[in-house]
Amino acid sequence: MRVAEAIAEAERRLAAAGIDAPRVDAELLVAHLLGASRTALYAEPEQEVDGLEPLLRRREEREPLAYVLGEWGFRRLVLKTDARALVPRPETEILVERALAILHGLERPRVLDVGVGSGAIALAIADEHPGARITGVDVSADALALARENVRRLGLDVELRQAGIAAAAEGWDLVVSNPPYVETLEGLQPELRREPSEALLGDGFHRDLAAAARTTWLALEVGNGQAPAVARDLAAAGYSEIRITLDLGGRERVVEGKQE
Ligand SMILES: C[S@@+](CC[C@H](N)C(=O)[O-])C[C@H]1O[C@@H](n2cnc3c(N)ncnc32)[C@H](O)[C@@H]1O
């Protein structure tokens, strides 16, 4: 099948499977098979596309596109992505943005990422603040294995270990976390059920982390509507300079605070 036909066929089947932006997914699948960018696809419309069917079938079955492609962009990095860890989300890039702003001017800050997952946040900070000494912890051995592969692939310096919230009490300049904060998967996109449930479902993690952490700064990603309560939790735990930052969709996405 040639490029234009392959895209049209994939778009038709993905639309029938209920996927939101079937054209974009179709183009990304074909581009992946050709080792090209999406924009370069139309430069050589006569090119043959091989191997589309198995990828298309996985996506039709609502496997996240990032797992089907096996890699996903996050800030300046391309991370390996599979079912061992959450797909890095664009809104989490805002958390990294805030972490970098907090770290600005600190030469060798000690940073902890709690719930490191694929390594997205820790690796992006390592990439964009090269002096930082970064540790990532997770309770999931699977997620840590994937994060280790990403550390190796990217050649960045991040220490990884299996631990939970207690690691935040060790004393840090910044503790950053995108914790599990989804209350229920009911009514949400079917793709979410393919991601590890311990990466998504959670209640009270922000409060527990704020209470346990010994850190100058704490920066947390929050779910829709959670920011005011998390800001109150930080205030109750003794944090000051509490600030809420919006994501690109205008939703309150990051809550940060400082301990004296
Ligand atoms: C929402 S995912 C975030 C993954 C990654 N940081 C990102 O932003 O793409 C949350 C992560 O927290 C981990 N996790 C869940 N409970 C935890 C706990 N008590 N302590 C440490 N990590 C935990 C999960 O295994 C998962 O990898």
Side-chain angles (χ1 to χ4, degrees), residues 4-17 19 21-27 29-30 42 52 56:
E5 280 171 277
I7 293 173
E9 164 73 358
E11 181 183 8
R12 185 187 62 72
R13 283 174 51 182
L14 294 177
I19 282 162
R23 181 79 182 182
V24 174
D25 280 29
E27 288 176 346
L29 286 171
V30 173
Y42 297 96
L52 181 60
L56 193 47

Side-chain angles (χ1 to χ4, degrees), residues 42-260:
Y42 297 96
E44 292 189 60
E46 298 305 314
Q47 217 175 334
E48 282 294 319
V49 181
D50 294 321
L52 181 60
E53 186 56 31
L55 301 188
L56 193 47
R57 216 170 281 155
R58 287 171 63 189
R59 189 66 189 109
E60 278 182 308
E61 288 165 6
R62 305 301 295 263
E63 189 172 341
L65 183 63
Y67 292 169
V68 177
L69 298 178
E71 58 181 31
W72 202 243
F74 184 78
R75 291 191 66 94
R76 307 192 310 199
L77 306 175
V78 176
L79 296 159
K80 180 172 178 182
T81 42
D82 61 36
R84 288 175 290 176
L86 191 92
V87 176
R89 305 293 207 268
E91 52 269 32
T92 304
E93 299 193 6
I94 306 296
L95 177 61
V96 173
E97 193 76 46
R98 285 309 309 151
L100 293 169
I102 288 167
L103 297 175
H104 184 74
L106 302 179
E107 273 185 25
R108 304 268 301 140
R110 290 157 306 147
V111 180
L112 176 69
D113 177 5
V114 181
V116 70
S118 64
I121 298 168
L123 284 161
I125 295 173
D127 178 43
E128 298 183 54
H129 192 107
R133 290 169 285 169
I134 306 171
T135 298
V137 296
D138 206 295
V139 287
S140 159
D142 275 351
L144 283 168
L146 178 60
R148 281 201 183 92
E149 288 172 34
N150 276 318
V151 166
R152 263 198 306 277
R153 257 163 75 107
L154 295 166
L156 290 163
D157 194 12
V158 171
E159 187 212 341
L160 293 167
R161 57 188 153 96
Q162 194 163 20
I165 285 177
E170 292 167 12
W172 305 90
D173 295 304
L174 168 66
V175 171
V176 66
S177 183
N178 171 22
Y181 58 65
V182 177
E183 284 158 23
T184 172
L185 298 181
E186 209 65 38
L188 300 178
Q189 296 281 54
E191 281 81 352
L192 290 175
R193 295 183 191 279
R194 303 298 199 93
E195 295 184 270
S197 59
E198 70 272 21
L200 290 164
L201 294 169
D203 183 26
F205 198 109
H206 301 102
R207 188 184 53 240
D208 295 346
L209 185 55
R214 296 288 163 267
T215 178
T216 308
W217 288 97
L218 178 66
L220 304 172
E221 179 168 326
V222 299
N224 294 342
Q226 295 176 347
V230 173
R232 282 195 298 277
D233 289 341
L234 262 60
Y239 291 79
S240 58
E241 297 187 37
I242 294 167
R243 167 176 178 157
I244 295 175
T245 304
L246 307 185
D247 65 21
L248 295 177
R251 295 205 166 98
E252 294 181 331
R253 188 59 64 201
V254 177
V255 180
E256 68 193 52
K258 188 177 188 190
Q259 275 179 351
E260 296 311 327

